[in-house]
Amino acid sequence: MRLLTNADLAQLLDKDIFHTISSVADGLGVECYVVGGYVRDLFLERPSNDIDVVVVGSGIEVASALKKHLGKSAYLSVFKNFGTAQIKYKGMEVEFVGARKESYSHNSRKPIVEDGTLEDDQNRRDFTINALAVCLNKDRFGELVDPFDGIYDMEDGIIRTPLDPDITFSDDPLRMLRCIRFATQLNFFIDDETFEALERNAGRISIISGERIQEELNKIMKTRTPSRGFVDLQRCGLLELILPELSALDVVDTKNGRAHKNNFYHTLEVLDNVCAHSDDLWLRWGALMHDVGKTKSKRWDPSVGWTFHNHNFIGAKMVPDIFRRLKLPLDAKMKYVQKMVDLHMRPIVIADEVVTDSAVRRLLNDAGDDIDDLMTLCEADITSKNEVRKKQFRENFRMVREKLHDLKEKDYKRLLQPCIDGNEIMRMFGLSPSWEVGALKKCLKDAVLDNKVPNEREPLMELLVRKAESMGLKCKD
């Protein structure tokens, strides 16, 4: 973090856009401040093009006057119902709002808004690091207004509310998720008093929509180490309310002296491992969901201990309900996550045994174009503390990848899809869509995948006729 003086801030704000805002505000006789995240990021040396400006007066009036000064290259949007306006100019977005004070009712996060002072506006901010303001008026240009010592909290790496955290979180429960999200993004710690308020007010999250919850979860997921955020969500009791399926994994059962691993912390380790190799949000969701079926599948078997048979299949079936509740997309992205959850054990099983061509063909056939992502997830899933076993898995995964590469080079779609399809089978035997057609197709596909016959018409036709005869079917020709 940089320690900036008022002179430093004036130099950092020495841009045409800020001087023009300054001139417009002075011309209208109103105080004007750049506030919030933009100021915070100046100290943290983080790039930002989203600028929030508070006017002690009418933000819409200042924005409208600024538009006239900037001309046709600026685009103005006015939101009268909210008392805000936005200017888009040369890749920047400048949001204007009048200084205000807010009050809340218990069953809504929508505040009752009144005109206020700069102090009122800073009091309503969520965290001290977001309550910084820098004056843009000419006679005070670059002057920092920091009533809650936000710069010291940034220096110490602390997330803290400006006022009573119980009131802050009860008024707008979304701030609880923002608190954890900022701590995760910035690698900060949450102040003890603030964290205790998270625990006390967790139940208030019930008034927040799924859309707003998933927005914050996705921002946590996009960080470098999202595990930090999910640990905090679990510790304060929020995770149990918004993602109970994941929270339920945080248990270790012991029977006859034998315990299974904590699947919650294992899941977070896998998630961080994936994040080290991929920025893909939906692959990260696949990692977060990959073991979610273990709670429902857990059984005690005296001969082997704790088992989680079919947890991948059970978990894949759980994904749509989770996505629906969190208002996540129910399209191809959800199907992709389901596929990752359903198939995540397959490469591990292959790598734990002799790596056969047949098993690799089947894996490639089922994973299709998502095979590389699946392999990334599965390699991230190897979290064993047994270094010998981990080394063996990595070596076997290397062999799997080599065989996958060879198959791709040979045009796997052509090699793995039998050249006789279902339509031809129906015509040959006078069938309509039925289980018989499915059985014949499966016979051909298994033969190709297991490399029992080449994917050529003549040998496949001979196999098809033999299989059909065994089922009591006769060719029409």
Side-chain angles (χ1 to χ4, degrees):
M1 174 190 152
R2 298 171 67 184
L3 293 175
L4 302 172
T5 65
N6 288 350
D8 294 328
L9 288 168
Q11 187 172 0
L12 288 169
L13 297 176
D14 186 18
K15 299 177 182 178
D16 289 344
I17 186 67
F18 293 116
H19 287 298
T20 307
I21 294 171
S22 175
S23 176
V24 167
D26 285 343
L28 293 171
V30 295
E31 293 179 40
C32 194
Y33 301 84
V34 59
V35 297
Y38 189 86
V39 180
R40 177 198 69 223
D41 289 343
L42 289 177
F43 284 90
L44 296 177
E45 301 181 78
R46 286 157 47 101
S48 177
N49 286 321
D50 295 334
I51 303 165
D52 290 325
V53 174
V54 164
V55 177
V56 184
S58 170
I60 292 175
E61 186 179 6
V62 173
S64 300
L66 177 64
K67 159 66 179 168
K68 291 179 181 178
H69 274 72
L70 297 176
K72 293 181 179 179
S73 57
Y75 299 89
L76 171 67
S77 301
V78 175
F79 310 96
K80 287 186 178 180
N81 290 344
F82 299 97
T84 65
Q86 182 190 77
I87 291 281
K88 290 186 178 181
Y89 178 70
K90 293 185 177 180
M92 293 179 289
E93 293 185 3
V94 188
E95 199 88 29
F96 291 86
V97 64
R100 61 194 188 185
K101 54 184 175 182
E102 300 174 339
S103 57
Y104 291 81
S105 63
H106 189 72
N107 61 352
S108 173
R109 62 179 291 265
K110 294 181 180 178
I112 299 168
V113 177
E114 302 174 69
D115 292 340
T117 64
L118 175 65
E119 182 182 5
D120 291 327
D121 203 88
Q122 289 178 296
N123 285 343
R124 73 178 182 84
R125 299 280 163 173
D126 50 8
F127 308 111
T128 60
I129 64 172
N130 294 335
L132 307 168
V134 178
C135 188
L136 294 179
N137 296 95
K138 186 175 181 180
D139 59 345
R140 296 170 55 209
F141 192 84
E143 179 184 311
L144 177 67
V145 183
D146 180 19
F148 306 111
D149 293 329
I151 57 171
Y152 296 112
D153 285 345
M154 277 192 287
E155 191 174 9
D156 294 336
I158 289 174
I159 303 293
R160 180 171 61 88
T161 60
L163 303 178
D164 183 337
D166 283 305
I167 295 175
T168 297
F169 295 146
S170 180
D171 281 349
D172 184 355
L174 185 65
R175 290 169 175 164
M176 294 189 288
L177 293 182
R178 284 170 56 83
C179 177
I180 291 171
R181 187 250 295 178
F182 278 120
T184 310
Q185 283 180 328
L186 301 175
N187 200 23
F188 281 15
F189 291 96
I190 300 171
D191 166 73
D192 287 345
E193 185 179 348
T194 301
F195 194 88
E196 289 165 6
L198 288 176
E199 295 176 295
R200 288 191 294 270
N201 291 277
R204 290 281 288 150
I205 202 69
S206 63
I207 71 169
I208 303 299
S209 69
E211 288 91 345
R212 300 311 299 272
I213 290 172
Q214 61 104 335
E215 285 176 13
E216 293 300 323
L217 288 180
N218 280 341
K219 288 175 182 177
I220 291 172
M221 291 285 276
K222 291 176 181 178
T223 62
R224 183 174 296 179
T225 52
S227 61
R228 285 177 53 100
F230 285 100
V231 168
D232 280 344
L233 287 169
Q234 178 74 339
R235 286 175 56 226
C236 73
L238 279 168
L239 192 65
E240 184 179 2
L241 300 173
I242 61 179
L243 244 178
E245 300 88 348
L246 181 63
S247 176
L249 296 175
D250 189 10
V251 65
V252 176
D253 288 321
T254 303
K255 194 164 185 176
N256 296 345
R258 301 176 73 174
H260 62 77
K261 65 186 173 186
N262 185 305
N263 287 304
F264 175 72
Y265 288 97
H266 163 73
T267 292
L268 297 186
E269 185 177 354
V270 174
L271 174 60
D272 284 350
N273 288 345
V274 165
C275 292
H277 295 93
S278 174
D279 293 329
D280 188 287
L281 174 63
W282 305 108
L283 180 55
R284 293 181 177 203
W285 269 103
L288 191 70
M289 296 285 100
H290 84 283
D291 273 353
V292 78
K294 281 192 170 179
T295 302
K296 292 184 177 181
S297 65
K298 182 165 61 177
R299 300 288 184 273
W300 170 257
D301 182 337
S303 63
V304 295
W306 293 103
T307 67
F308 303 92
H309 296 312
N310 293 323
H311 74 273
N312 54 314
F313 174 72
I314 293 169
K317 290 182 67 176
M318 294 167 66
V319 168
D321 284 341
I322 293 170
F323 269 49
R324 192 173 293 110
R325 186 178 69 244
L326 293 176
K327 304 298 189 243
L328 288 161
L330 301 177
D331 55 13
K333 295 182 179 68
M334 183 200 73
K335 295 289 187 184
Y336 167 88
V337 172
Q338 275 191 294
K339 181 193 280 191
M340 292 297 109
V341 175
D342 189 25
L343 296 181
H344 82 270
M345 292 298 295
R346 289 275 295 280
I348 293 173
V349 171
I350 294 173
D352 202 23
E353 301 171 355
V354 178
V355 182
T356 65
D357 289 352
S358 174
V360 173
R361 284 194 199 93
R362 288 179 176 277
L363 174 64
L364 186 51
N365 178 74
D366 292 341
D369 293 335
D370 298 317
I371 185 62
D372 289 333
D373 287 350
L374 181 63
M375 291 299 295
T376 297
L377 171 59
C378 293
E379 289 176 336
D381 198 13
I382 305 304
T383 61
S384 172
K385 300 301 183 280
N386 183 326
E387 290 301 321
V388 174
R389 182 166 171 76
K390 187 183 289 188
K391 183 178 180 181
Q392 183 61 52
F393 265 117
R394 286 175 176 163
E395 174 60 21
N396 283 7
F397 269 126
R398 185 189 64 76
M399 294 170 61
V400 172
R401 282 192 177 274
E402 284 183 359
K403 289 180 181 292
L404 286 169
H405 177 75
D406 291 344
L407 275 173
K408 285 192 208 177
E409 288 288 309
K410 296 175 182 176
D411 185 8
Y412 76 91
K413 288 183 179 178
R414 178 179 59 80
L415 288 173
L416 301 186
Q417 296 300 322
C419 57
I420 301 173
D421 63 16
N423 290 327
E424 185 171 359
I425 291 171
M426 286 190 285
R427 286 195 303 271
M428 283 179 62
F429 299 98
L431 297 171
S432 56
S434 59
W435 72 267
E436 289 94 343
V437 178
L440 292 171
K441 285 175 63 178
K442 185 176 186 301
C443 173
L444 297 183
K445 190 169 188 177
D446 286 346
V448 170
L449 291 174
D450 292 335
N451 206 27
K452 292 179 178 177
V453 296
N455 191 6
E456 297 171 3
R457 187 171 183 79
E458 186 174 341
L460 281 176
M461 190 63 73
E462 290 178 4
L463 176 63
L464 176 63
V465 171
R466 287 200 306 271
K467 178 65 177 177
E469 288 176 350
S470 73
M471 296 169 59
L473 299 174
K474 292 186 178 181
C475 184
K476 291 177 64 178
D477 299 332

